[in-house]
Amino acid sequence: MSAQDRLTDALYGLGWSTVKKLPEPVAVRLGRTIADAAWKQRGKGVRRLESNYARVVPGASPERLAELSRAGMRSYLRYWMESFRLPAWSRERIRAGVDVKDLHHLTEGMDAGRGVILALPHLANWDLAGAWVTTELGIPFTTVAERLKPETLYDRFVAYREGLGMEVLPHSGGSAFGTLARRLRDGGLVCLVADRDLSTSGVEVEFFGDTARMPAGPALLAQHTGALLLPATLWYDDSPVMRARVHPSVEVPESGTRAEKTSVMTQALADAFATGIADHPEDWHMLQRLWLKDLDPAKGRP
């Protein structure tokens, strides 16, 4: 393991061991202090965040984008402070930490026994949402995690999420799809963060007026298993409670090839994600390149 990898692993370990012991108001202030310091440095992540917000809020002035990126960094650090502290939260604190609108789409789908795929973008705190599902609803679920470097850091994330009641599969390796399909055929719940493609097999979608690529997995799983595909969006307000909404299901088209059906369904997911992101852009934690023109300008569509 390189010195950089050892440092990265040590810093995350320090966060989980130390931040979770802090009183909540202290952790909130610490997160905001770190966020403001990072924002003032205007590093690569902050500049990319502003670039992404410029697509979400077209015509925004530089001053408005700066305000959004500052709020975005505060939201991002709130995610981390909450995540570091989640293993120490009581069941009552987790239950009180999330308020979900239109939850009936999820509960009715589970009651029907079809299996449900819940697809989310990188909004607010998806780990807290997962902990709420396992704690408040008592529904276990399966998810997929990107393999991080160093391997010890990936192991930390897997142990953390499994401690919250999730079954975690590695994104790489090729066996995740089959396992997810089996869970769905058994009437289970699968939760996937699905606004950024981590493979070369993603589906091109129109997203805030330009072309991006999103994973095909949610749509393909719904077609293979007959499971219900539900978009969900999350956001913060000025309270300690995170808000969430479960959107109506994305249906499998009655006609077309598998690729055509997948394209239509993934675009519907992107449209639902865009609704939540446009309403709360500062809570979209996308500090990476997403649109094709940003990934490779030579491949961007005219």
Side-chain angles (χ1 to χ4, degrees):
M1 186 189 301
S2 69
Q4 180 62 45
D5 285 346
R6 286 196 298 272
L7 176 61
T8 300
D9 183 58
L11 288 173
Y12 278 98
L14 182 65
W16 268 301
S17 64
T18 302
V19 173
K20 71 178 181 181
K21 299 176 183 177
L22 297 175
E24 191 159 341
V26 176
V28 170
R29 289 196 300 271
L30 176 62
R32 180 161 293 197
T33 299
I34 295 172
D36 288 349
W39 177 77
K40 289 177 181 176
Q41 290 180 358
R42 293 198 55 78
K44 181 171 63 176
V46 173
R47 296 195 305 272
R48 175 51 52 192
L49 192 62
E50 282 189 14
S51 176
N52 291 337
Y53 286 160
R55 293 181 182 272
V56 174
V57 188
S61 66
E63 293 77 15
R64 172 60 177 150
L65 290 176
E67 290 174 359
L68 276 175
S69 66
R70 184 179 189 184
M73 290 304 295
R74 288 182 172 185
S75 176
Y76 186 49
L77 263 294
R78 175 173 172 176
Y79 161 78
W80 279 112
M81 291 296 114
E82 288 179 345
S83 295
F84 287 143
R85 289 175 49 76
L86 260 178
W89 279 15
S90 67
R91 295 176 66 85
E92 291 72 24
R93 177 66 182 89
I94 292 173
R95 289 190 178 106
V98 183
D99 174 59
V100 184
K101 300 180 184 299
D102 299 324
L103 182 62
H104 65 92
H105 293 304
L106 173 58
T107 54
E108 290 171 3
M110 294 300 299
D111 290 343
R114 291 178 54 183
V116 174
I117 307 155
L118 204 60
L120 307 90
H122 285 81
L123 275 169
N125 192 336
W126 46 97
D127 286 329
L128 173 55
W132 185 87
V133 167
T134 60
T135 302
E136 174 66 16
L137 302 183
I139 301 175
F141 67 87
T142 304
T143 189
V144 174
E146 178 184 2
R147 279 203 174 275
L148 303 171
K149 292 183 179 180
E151 191 75 14
T152 51
L153 179 58
Y154 171 76
D155 292 341
R156 285 185 189 274
F157 270 96
V158 170
Y160 156 66
R161 287 175 173 144
E162 288 179 342
L164 298 176
M166 312 175 193
E167 178 188 23
V168 183
L169 308 176
H171 180 271
S172 58
S175 63
F177 189 92
T179 303
L180 295 174
R182 287 194 294 274
R183 299 292 183 268
L184 292 168
R185 291 192 182 103
D186 290 340
L189 174 64
V190 165
C191 297
L192 300 171
V193 180
D195 58 342
R196 179 170 170 252
D197 180 50
L198 296 174
S199 70
T200 58
S201 58
V203 178
E204 291 189 6
V205 295
E206 182 181 347
F207 196 55
F208 290 104
D210 216 332
T211 305
R213 190 180 290 120
M214 293 187 181
L220 288 172
L221 283 167
Q223 293 175 62
H224 274 278
T225 67
L228 199 66
L229 176 54
L230 297 175
T233 52
L234 315 170
W235 68 95
Y236 291 129
D237 56 20
D238 294 330
S239 76
V241 179
M242 184 179 72
R243 312 297 172 176
R245 172 174 285 109
V246 181
H247 296 253
S249 63
V250 173
E251 301 298 330
V252 179
E254 294 182 359
S255 61
T257 64
R258 178 176 296 173
E260 290 168 343
K261 292 178 180 179
T262 301
S263 178
V264 170
M265 295 172 72
T266 307
Q267 182 63 63
L269 278 182
D271 292 343
F273 294 165
T275 298
I277 293 167
D279 287 343
H280 305 278
E282 69 278 4
D283 292 324
W284 189 40
H285 306 152
M286 186 56 66
L287 281 73
Q288 299 84 20
R289 299 175 187 269
L290 181 71
W291 283 270
L292 297 192
K293 287 181 180 178
D294 295 335
L295 291 165
D296 186 349
K299 294 182 180 179
R301 292 182 174 182

Short mmCIF file of all heavy atoms in Angstrom, two decimals, residues 71-128:
data_model
loop_
_atom_site.label_atom_id
_atom_site.label_comp_id
_atom_site.label_asym_id
_atom_site.label_seq_id
_atom_site.Cartn_x
_atom_site.Cartn_y
_atom_site.Cartn_z
N ALA A 71 -22.91 26.30 -0.62
CA ALA A 71 -23.98 25.51 -0.01
C ALA A 71 -23.79 24.02 -0.32
O ALA A 71 -24.08 23.15 0.51
CB ALA A 71 -25.33 25.99 -0.50
N GLY A 72 -23.31 23.73 -1.54
CA GLY A 72 -23.08 22.35 -1.93
C GLY A 72 -22.01 21.68 -1.09
O GLY A 72 -22.14 20.52 -0.69
N MET A 73 -20.93 22.39 -0.80
CA MET A 73 -19.89 21.83 0.04
C MET A 73 -20.39 21.62 1.48
O MET A 73 -20.05 20.63 2.13
CB MET A 73 -18.66 22.73 0.02
CG MET A 73 -17.91 22.74 -1.31
SD MET A 73 -17.39 21.08 -1.84
CE MET A 73 -16.20 20.68 -0.55
N ARG A 74 -21.21 22.54 1.96
CA ARG A 74 -21.78 22.35 3.30
C ARG A 74 -22.69 21.12 3.33
O ARG A 74 -22.69 20.36 4.30
CB ARG A 74 -22.54 23.60 3.72
CG ARG A 74 -21.63 24.79 4.06
CD ARG A 74 -22.44 26.00 4.52
NE ARG A 74 -21.56 27.05 5.02
CZ ARG A 74 -21.99 28.19 5.56
NH1 ARG A 74 -23.29 28.42 5.67
NH2 ARG A 74 -21.13 29.09 6.00
N SER A 75 -23.47 20.95 2.28
CA SER A 75 -24.33 19.78 2.20
C SER A 75 -23.49 18.50 2.13
O SER A 75 -23.80 17.49 2.78
CB SER A 75 -25.24 19.89 0.97
OG SER A 75 -26.02 18.72 0.81
N TYR A 76 -22.42 18.55 1.34
CA TYR A 76 -21.54 17.39 1.19
C TYR A 76 -20.90 17.01 2.53
O TYR A 76 -20.83 15.84 2.89
CB TYR A 76 -20.48 17.72 0.15
CG TYR A 76 -19.57 16.58 -0.23
CD1 TYR A 76 -20.08 15.33 -0.58
CD2 TYR A 76 -18.19 16.76 -0.28
CE1 TYR A 76 -19.24 14.30 -0.95
CE2 TYR A 76 -17.34 15.73 -0.65
CZ TYR A 76 -17.87 14.51 -0.98
OH TYR A 76 -17.04 13.47 -1.35
N LEU A 77 -20.44 18.00 3.28
CA LEU A 77 -19.84 17.71 4.58
C LEU A 77 -20.89 17.29 5.59
O LEU A 77 -20.59 16.51 6.51
CB LEU A 77 -19.05 18.91 5.07
CG LEU A 77 -17.54 18.85 4.79
CD1 LEU A 77 -16.87 17.72 5.59
CD2 LEU A 77 -17.23 18.69 3.30
N ARG A 78 -22.13 17.77 5.45
CA ARG A 78 -23.19 17.25 6.32
C ARG A 78 -23.36 15.76 6.07
O ARG A 78 -23.53 14.99 7.03
CB ARG A 78 -24.50 18.00 6.06
CG ARG A 78 -25.67 17.42 6.86
CD ARG A 78 -26.93 18.27 6.75
NE ARG A 78 -28.07 17.59 7.38
CZ ARG A 78 -29.28 18.11 7.50
NH1 ARG A 78 -29.53 19.34 7.05
NH2 ARG A 78 -30.25 17.43 8.08
N TYR A 79 -23.32 15.36 4.80
CA TYR A 79 -23.39 13.93 4.48
C TYR A 79 -22.30 13.16 5.23
O TYR A 79 -22.56 12.12 5.85
CB TYR A 79 -23.25 13.72 2.97
CG TYR A 79 -22.86 12.32 2.58
CD1 TYR A 79 -23.78 11.29 2.58
CD2 TYR A 79 -21.54 12.02 2.24
CE1 TYR A 79 -23.41 9.99 2.24
CE2 TYR A 79 -21.16 10.72 1.91
CZ TYR A 79 -22.10 9.72 1.91
OH TYR A 79 -21.74 8.44 1.59
N TRP A 80 -21.05 13.66 5.17
CA TRP A 80 -19.96 12.93 5.80
C TRP A 80 -20.08 12.93 7.32
O TRP A 80 -19.84 11.91 7.97
CB TRP A 80 -18.61 13.52 5.37
CG TRP A 80 -18.20 13.02 4.03
CD1 TRP A 80 -18.10 13.72 2.87
CD2 TRP A 80 -17.85 11.66 3.70
NE1 TRP A 80 -17.73 12.89 1.83
CE2 TRP A 80 -17.56 11.64 2.32
CE3 TRP A 80 -17.75 10.49 4.44
CZ2 TRP A 80 -17.18 10.46 1.68
CZ3 TRP A 80 -17.38 9.32 3.79
CH2 TRP A 80 -17.09 9.32 2.42
N MET A 81 -20.44 14.07 7.92
CA MET A 81 -20.59 14.10 9.37
C MET A 81 -21.68 13.13 9.83
O MET A 81 -21.52 12.41 10.82
CB MET A 81 -20.91 15.52 9.84
CG MET A 81 -19.78 16.53 9.69
SD MET A 81 -18.31 16.14 10.69
CE MET A 81 -17.13 15.78 9.37
N GLU A 82 -22.79 13.10 9.11
CA GLU A 82 -23.86 12.16 9.44
C GLU A 82 -23.39 10.72 9.27
O GLU A 82 -23.69 9.85 10.10
CB GLU A 82 -25.09 12.42 8.57
CG GLU A 82 -25.86 13.68 8.92
CD GLU A 82 -27.04 13.91 8.01
OE1 GLU A 82 -27.12 13.25 6.94
OE2 GLU A 82 -27.89 14.75 8.34
N SER A 83 -22.68 10.47 8.17
CA SER A 83 -22.25 9.10 7.89
C SER A 83 -21.26 8.60 8.94
O SER A 83 -21.32 7.44 9.36
CB SER A 83 -21.63 9.03 6.49
OG SER A 83 -22.62 9.30 5.51
N PHE A 84 -20.34 9.46 9.35
CA PHE A 84 -19.40 9.06 10.40
C PHE A 84 -20.13 8.77 11.70
O PHE A 84 -19.69 7.92 12.49
CB PHE A 84 -18.35 10.15 10.62
CG PHE A 84 -17.32 10.25 9.52
CD1 PHE A 84 -16.83 11.48 9.13
CD2 PHE A 84 -16.82 9.12 8.90
CE1 PHE A 84 -15.87 11.59 8.13
CE2 PHE A 84 -15.86 9.21 7.90
CZ PHE A 84 -15.38 10.44 7.52
N ARG A 85 -21.24 9.47 11.95
CA ARG A 85 -21.94 9.34 13.21
C ARG A 85 -23.06 8.29 13.18
O ARG A 85 -23.52 7.85 14.24
CB ARG A 85 -22.53 10.69 13.62
CG ARG A 85 -21.49 11.71 14.04
CD ARG A 85 -22.13 13.07 14.33
NE ARG A 85 -23.30 12.98 15.20
CZ ARG A 85 -23.23 12.79 16.51
NH1 ARG A 85 -22.07 12.67 17.10
NH2 ARG A 85 -24.33 12.72 17.22
N LEU A 86 -23.48 7.87 11.99
CA LEU A 86 -24.62 6.96 11.88
C LEU A 86 -24.46 5.68 12.71
O LEU A 86 -25.44 5.24 13.34
CB LEU A 86 -24.86 6.60 10.42
CG LEU A 86 -25.98 7.35 9.70
CD1 LEU A 86 -26.06 6.92 8.24
CD2 LEU A 86 -27.32 7.11 10.38
N PRO A 87 -23.28 5.06 12.73
CA PRO A 87 -23.17 3.82 13.53
C PRO A 87 -23.46 4.03 15.02
O PRO A 87 -23.78 3.06 15.72
CB PRO A 87 -21.71 3.39 13.30
CG PRO A 87 -21.35 3.98 11.98
CD PRO A 87 -22.06 5.30 11.94
N ALA A 88 -23.32 5.26 15.49
CA ALA A 88 -23.58 5.54 16.92
C ALA A 88 -24.99 6.06 17.16
O ALA A 88 -25.38 6.25 18.32
CB ALA A 88 -22.56 6.55 17.44
N TRP A 89 -25.76 6.31 16.10
CA TRP A 89 -27.12 6.82 16.29
C TRP A 89 -28.02 5.71 16.84
O TRP A 89 -27.90 4.54 16.46
CB TRP A 89 -27.69 7.30 14.95
CG TRP A 89 -27.25 8.68 14.55
CD1 TRP A 89 -26.22 9.39 15.07
CD2 TRP A 89 -27.82 9.49 13.53
NE1 TRP A 89 -26.11 10.60 14.44
CE2 TRP A 89 -27.08 10.68 13.49
CE3 TRP A 89 -28.87 9.32 12.63
CZ2 TRP A 89 -27.37 11.71 12.59
CZ3 TRP A 89 -29.17 10.34 11.74
CH2 TRP A 89 -28.42 11.53 11.72
N SER A 90 -28.94 6.10 17.70
CA SER A 90 -29.93 5.15 18.19
C SER A 90 -30.97 4.90 17.10
O SER A 90 -31.08 5.65 16.12
CB SER A 90 -30.64 5.73 19.42
OG SER A 90 -31.42 6.87 19.06
N ARG A 91 -31.73 3.84 17.27
CA ARG A 91 -32.80 3.54 16.32
C ARG A 91 -33.81 4.68 16.29
O ARG A 91 -34.35 5.02 15.23
CB ARG A 91 -33.48 2.22 16.70
CG ARG A 91 -32.56 1.01 16.59
CD ARG A 91 -33.25 -0.26 17.08
NE ARG A 91 -34.35 -0.64 16.21
CZ ARG A 91 -34.22 -1.36 15.10
NH1 ARG A 91 -33.01 -1.77 14.72
NH2 ARG A 91 -35.27 -1.69 14.39
N GLU A 92 -34.06 5.29 17.45
CA GLU A 92 -35.01 6.41 17.50
C GLU A 92 -34.48 7.61 16.72
O GLU A 92 -35.24 8.29 16.03
CB GLU A 92 -35.27 6.80 18.95
CG GLU A 92 -36.05 5.77 19.75
CD GLU A 92 -35.26 4.51 20.08
OE1 GLU A 92 -33.99 4.60 20.09
OE2 GLU A 92 -35.88 3.46 20.29
N ARG A 93 -33.16 7.86 16.81
CA ARG A 93 -32.58 9.00 16.07
C ARG A 93 -32.65 8.76 14.57
O ARG A 93 -32.93 9.68 13.80
CB ARG A 93 -31.12 9.22 16.51
CG ARG A 93 -30.40 10.33 15.74
CD ARG A 93 -31.01 11.69 16.04
NE ARG A 93 -30.38 12.75 15.28
CZ ARG A 93 -30.76 13.15 14.06
NH1 ARG A 93 -31.79 12.55 13.45
NH2 ARG A 93 -30.13 14.15 13.46
N ILE A 94 -32.42 7.54 14.14
CA ILE A 94 -32.51 7.23 12.72
C ILE A 94 -33.96 7.39 12.24
O ILE A 94 -34.21 8.00 11.19
CB ILE A 94 -32.01 5.79 12.45
CG1 ILE A 94 -30.50 5.72 12.68
CG2 ILE A 94 -32.34 5.37 11.01
CD1 ILE A 94 -29.93 4.31 12.61
N ARG A 95 -34.90 6.88 13.02
CA ARG A 95 -36.31 6.99 12.62
C ARG A 95 -36.74 8.45 12.51
O ARG A 95 -37.49 8.82 11.60
CB ARG A 95 -37.20 6.28 13.65
CG ARG A 95 -37.11 4.78 13.64
CD ARG A 95 -38.20 4.18 14.52
NE ARG A 95 -38.18 2.73 14.50
CZ ARG A 95 -37.75 1.99 15.49
NH1 ARG A 95 -37.30 2.55 16.60
NH2 ARG A 95 -37.77 0.67 15.41
N ALA A 96 -36.26 9.27 13.43
CA ALA A 96 -36.64 10.69 13.43
C ALA A 96 -35.86 11.50 12.41
O ALA A 96 -36.20 12.65 12.16
CB ALA A 96 -36.42 11.27 14.82
N GLY A 97 -34.84 10.91 11.79
CA GLY A 97 -33.94 11.68 10.92
C GLY A 97 -34.38 11.78 9.49
O GLY A 97 -33.73 12.49 8.69
N VAL A 98 -35.48 11.10 9.11
CA VAL A 98 -35.92 11.09 7.71
C VAL A 98 -37.43 11.23 7.64
O VAL A 98 -38.16 10.62 8.43
CB VAL A 98 -35.50 9.78 7.00
CG1 VAL A 98 -35.90 9.81 5.52
CG2 VAL A 98 -33.99 9.54 7.12
N ASP A 99 -37.89 12.04 6.71
CA ASP A 99 -39.33 12.20 6.45
C ASP A 99 -39.56 11.91 4.97
O ASP A 99 -38.96 12.57 4.10
CB ASP A 99 -39.78 13.62 6.78
CG ASP A 99 -41.22 13.87 6.39
OD1 ASP A 99 -42.11 13.16 6.88
OD2 ASP A 99 -41.46 14.78 5.56
N VAL A 100 -40.38 10.92 4.67
CA VAL A 100 -40.55 10.44 3.29
C VAL A 100 -41.96 10.74 2.78
O VAL A 100 -42.95 10.40 3.41
CB VAL A 100 -40.30 8.91 3.21
CG1 VAL A 100 -40.39 8.45 1.76
CG2 VAL A 100 -38.93 8.57 3.79
N LYS A 101 -42.00 11.36 1.62
CA LYS A 101 -43.27 11.63 0.94
C LYS A 101 -43.54 10.52 -0.07
O LYS A 101 -42.64 9.98 -0.69
CB LYS A 101 -43.22 12.99 0.22
CG LYS A 101 -42.95 14.18 1.14
CD LYS A 101 -42.91 15.47 0.34
CE LYS A 101 -42.54 16.66 1.23
NZ LYS A 101 -43.52 16.86 2.30
N ASP A 102 -44.82 10.20 -0.22
CA ASP A 102 -45.27 9.20 -1.19
C ASP A 102 -44.61 7.84 -0.95
O ASP A 102 -44.26 7.12 -1.91
CB ASP A 102 -45.03 9.67 -2.63
CG ASP A 102 -45.78 10.95 -2.94
OD1 ASP A 102 -46.91 11.11 -2.44
OD2 ASP A 102 -45.25 11.81 -3.67
N LEU A 103 -44.46 7.49 0.30
CA LEU A 103 -43.85 6.21 0.66
C LEU A 103 -44.68 5.02 0.18
O LEU A 103 -44.16 3.92 0.01
CB LEU A 103 -43.67 6.15 2.19
CG LEU A 103 -43.01 4.91 2.77
CD1 LEU A 103 -41.58 4.77 2.27
CD2 LEU A 103 -43.04 4.95 4.30
N HIS A 104 -45.95 5.26 -0.09
CA HIS A 104 -46.83 4.15 -0.48
C HIS A 104 -46.36 3.46 -1.75
O HIS A 104 -46.62 2.26 -1.96
CB HIS A 104 -48.26 4.65 -0.66
CG HIS A 104 -48.44 5.62 -1.78
ND1 HIS A 104 -48.80 5.24 -3.05
CD2 HIS A 104 -48.29 6.98 -1.82
CE1 HIS A 104 -48.89 6.31 -3.83
NE2 HIS A 104 -48.59 7.38 -3.12
N HIS A 105 -45.66 4.20 -2.63
CA HIS A 105 -45.14 3.55 -3.84
C HIS A 105 -44.21 2.39 -3.47
O HIS A 105 -44.23 1.33 -4.11
CB HIS A 105 -44.38 4.56 -4.70
CG HIS A 105 -45.23 5.63 -5.30
ND1 HIS A 105 -46.33 5.35 -6.09
CD2 HIS A 105 -45.14 7.00 -5.23
CE1 HIS A 105 -46.89 6.48 -6.48
NE2 HIS A 105 -46.20 7.49 -5.96
N LEU A 106 -43.39 2.59 -2.44
CA LEU A 106 -42.46 1.55 -2.01
C LEU A 106 -43.17 0.46 -1.22
O LEU A 106 -43.00 -0.74 -1.51
CB LEU A 106 -41.35 2.18 -1.16
CG LEU A 106 -40.39 1.20 -0.47
CD1 LEU A 106 -39.70 0.31 -1.48
CD2 LEU A 106 -39.37 1.98 0.37
N THR A 107 -43.96 0.83 -0.23
CA THR A 107 -44.58 -0.18 0.63
C THR A 107 -45.58 -1.05 -0.14
O THR A 107 -45.64 -2.26 0.07
CB THR A 107 -45.27 0.48 1.83
OG1 THR A 107 -46.19 1.48 1.38
CG2 THR A 107 -44.23 1.15 2.74
N GLU A 108 -46.35 -0.45 -1.04
CA GLU A 108 -47.30 -1.23 -1.83
C GLU A 108 -46.57 -2.17 -2.78
O GLU A 108 -47.00 -3.31 -3.02
CB GLU A 108 -48.23 -0.30 -2.60
CG GLU A 108 -49.22 0.45 -1.70
CD GLU A 108 -50.00 1.52 -2.45
OE1 GLU A 108 -49.81 1.64 -3.69
OE2 GLU A 108 -50.80 2.23 -1.81
N GLY A 109 -45.45 -1.70 -3.33
CA GLY A 109 -44.66 -2.56 -4.20
C GLY A 109 -44.09 -3.76 -3.45
O GLY A 109 -44.11 -4.89 -3.95
N MET A 110 -43.60 -3.51 -2.23
CA MET A 110 -43.08 -4.62 -1.43
C MET A 110 -44.19 -5.58 -1.03
O MET A 110 -44.01 -6.81 -1.07
CB MET A 110 -42.38 -4.09 -0.18
CG MET A 110 -41.11 -3.27 -0.46
SD MET A 110 -39.83 -4.20 -1.35
CE MET A 110 -39.50 -5.54 -0.20
N ASP A 111 -45.34 -5.04 -0.68
CA ASP A 111 -46.46 -5.90 -0.29
C ASP A 111 -46.92 -6.78 -1.45
O ASP A 111 -47.42 -7.89 -1.23
CB ASP A 111 -47.63 -5.05 0.20
CG ASP A 111 -47.35 -4.38 1.54
OD1 ASP A 111 -46.41 -4.82 2.23
OD2 ASP A 111 -48.06 -3.42 1.89
N ALA A 112 -46.76 -6.29 -2.68
CA ALA A 112 -47.18 -7.06 -3.84
C ALA A 112 -46.26 -8.24 -4.12
O ALA A 112 -46.61 -9.14 -4.89
CB ALA A 112 -47.25 -6.16 -5.08
N GLY A 113 -45.07 -8.24 -3.52
CA GLY A 113 -44.16 -9.37 -3.67
C GLY A 113 -43.41 -9.43 -4.98
O GLY A 113 -42.80 -10.46 -5.31
N ARG A 114 -43.44 -8.32 -5.74
CA ARG A 114 -42.78 -8.31 -7.05
C ARG A 114 -41.27 -8.11 -6.95
O ARG A 114 -40.54 -8.39 -7.89
CB ARG A 114 -43.34 -7.18 -7.92
CG ARG A 114 -44.74 -7.34 -8.37
CD ARG A 114 -45.20 -6.13 -9.18
NE ARG A 114 -44.32 -5.82 -10.30
CZ ARG A 114 -44.49 -4.76 -11.11
NH1 ARG A 114 -45.50 -3.93 -10.88
NH2 ARG A 114 -43.67 -4.55 -12.10
N GLY A 115 -40.83 -7.59 -5.83
CA GLY A 115 -39.47 -7.09 -5.76
C GLY A 115 -39.47 -5.63 -6.19
O GLY A 115 -40.26 -5.23 -7.06
N VAL A 116 -38.62 -4.82 -5.58
CA VAL A 116 -38.58 -3.39 -5.87
C VAL A 116 -37.13 -2.95 -6.04
O VAL A 116 -36.25 -3.32 -5.25
CB VAL A 116 -39.24 -2.56 -4.74
CG1 VAL A 116 -39.05 -1.06 -5.00
CG2 VAL A 116 -40.72 -2.89 -4.63
N ILE A 117 -36.89 -2.15 -7.09
CA ILE A 117 -35.61 -1.49 -7.30
C ILE A 117 -35.81 -0.01 -6.98
O ILE A 117 -36.63 0.66 -7.62
CB ILE A 117 -35.13 -1.63 -8.76
CG1 ILE A 117 -35.12 -3.09 -9.18
CG2 ILE A 117 -33.76 -0.97 -8.95
CD1 ILE A 117 -35.25 -3.28 -10.68
N LEU A 118 -35.09 0.48 -6.01
CA LEU A 118 -35.14 1.90 -5.65
C LEU A 118 -33.87 2.54 -6.20
O LEU A 118 -32.76 2.18 -5.81
CB LEU A 118 -35.20 2.04 -4.13
CG LEU A 118 -35.81 3.32 -3.53
CD1 LEU A 118 -37.25 3.48 -3.98
CD2 LEU A 118 -35.73 3.27 -2.02
N ALA A 119 -34.02 3.48 -7.14
CA ALA A 119 -32.89 4.12 -7.80
C ALA A 119 -32.79 5.57 -7.37
O ALA A 119 -33.78 6.30 -7.41
CB ALA A 119 -33.04 4.03 -9.32
N LEU A 120 -31.59 5.99 -6.94
CA LEU A 120 -31.39 7.34 -6.40
C LEU A 120 -30.20 8.02 -7.08
O LEU A 120 -29.25 7.34 -7.49
CB LEU A 120 -31.11 7.30 -4.90
CG LEU A 120 -32.05 6.56 -3.98
CD1 LEU A 120 -31.64 5.10 -3.83
CD2 LEU A 120 -32.08 7.22 -2.60
N PRO A 121 -30.22 9.34 -7.15
CA PRO A 121 -29.02 10.08 -7.52
C PRO A 121 -28.19 10.39 -6.27
O PRO A 121 -28.59 10.07 -5.15
CB PRO A 121 -29.57 11.36 -8.14
CG PRO A 121 -30.86 11.58 -7.41
CD PRO A 121 -31.39 10.22 -7.02
N HIS A 122 -27.02 11.03 -6.47
CA HIS A 122 -26.16 11.41 -5.35
C HIS A 122 -26.70 12.67 -4.67
O HIS A 122 -26.06 13.72 -4.66
CB HIS A 122 -24.73 11.66 -5.84
CG HIS A 122 -23.97 10.41 -6.18
ND1 HIS A 122 -24.12 9.75 -7.38
CD2 HIS A 122 -23.06 9.70 -5.46
CE1 HIS A 122 -23.31 8.69 -7.40
NE2 HIS A 122 -22.67 8.64 -6.24
N LEU A 123 -27.87 12.55 -4.09
CA LEU A 123 -28.51 13.67 -3.39
C LEU A 123 -28.50 13.43 -1.89
O LEU A 123 -28.79 12.31 -1.43
CB LEU A 123 -29.96 13.85 -3.85
CG LEU A 123 -30.23 14.67 -5.11
CD1 LEU A 123 -31.68 14.49 -5.55
CD2 LEU A 123 -29.94 16.16 -4.87
N ALA A 124 -28.16 14.45 -1.11
CA ALA A 124 -28.22 14.41 0.36
C ALA A 124 -27.50 13.18 0.88
O ALA A 124 -26.35 12.94 0.52
CB ALA A 124 -29.66 14.52 0.82
N ASN A 125 -28.16 12.34 1.69
CA ASN A 125 -27.47 11.23 2.34
C ASN A 125 -28.20 9.91 2.07
O ASN A 125 -29.14 9.54 2.77
CB ASN A 125 -27.38 11.47 3.85
CG ASN A 125 -26.42 10.50 4.52
OD1 ASN A 125 -26.17 9.41 4.02
ND2 ASN A 125 -25.91 10.89 5.67
N TRP A 126 -27.75 9.21 1.05
CA TRP A 126 -28.36 7.95 0.66
C TRP A 126 -28.09 6.86 1.70
O TRP A 126 -28.89 5.93 1.83
CB TRP A 126 -27.89 7.51 -0.73
CG TRP A 126 -26.41 7.63 -0.95
CD1 TRP A 126 -25.48 6.65 -0.84
CD2 TRP A 126 -25.69 8.81 -1.32
NE1 TRP A 126 -24.22 7.14 -1.10
CE2 TRP A 126 -24.32 8.46 -1.41
CE3 TRP A 126 -26.07 10.13 -1.59
CZ2 TRP A 126 -23.33 9.39 -1.75
CZ3 TRP A 126 -25.08 11.05 -1.93
CH2 TRP A 126 -23.73 10.68 -2.01
N ASP A 127 -27.00 6.95 2.45
CA ASP A 127 -26.76 5.98 3.52
C ASP A 127 -27.77 6.13 4.65
O ASP A 127 -28.27 5.14 5.20
CB ASP A 127 -25.35 6.14 4.09
CG ASP A 127 -24.28 5.62 3.15
OD1 ASP A 127 -24.57 4.66 2.40
OD2 ASP A 127 -23.16 6.16 3.15
N LEU A 128 -28.09 7.37 5.00
CA LEU A 128 -29.11 7.60 6.03
C LEU A 128 -30.46 7.09 5.55
O LEU A 128 -31.22 6.48 6.32
CB LEU A 128 -29.18 9.09 6.37
CG LEU A 128 -30.31 9.53 7.31
CD1 LEU A 128 -30.29 8.75 8.61
CD2 LEU A 128 -30.23 11.03 7.57
#
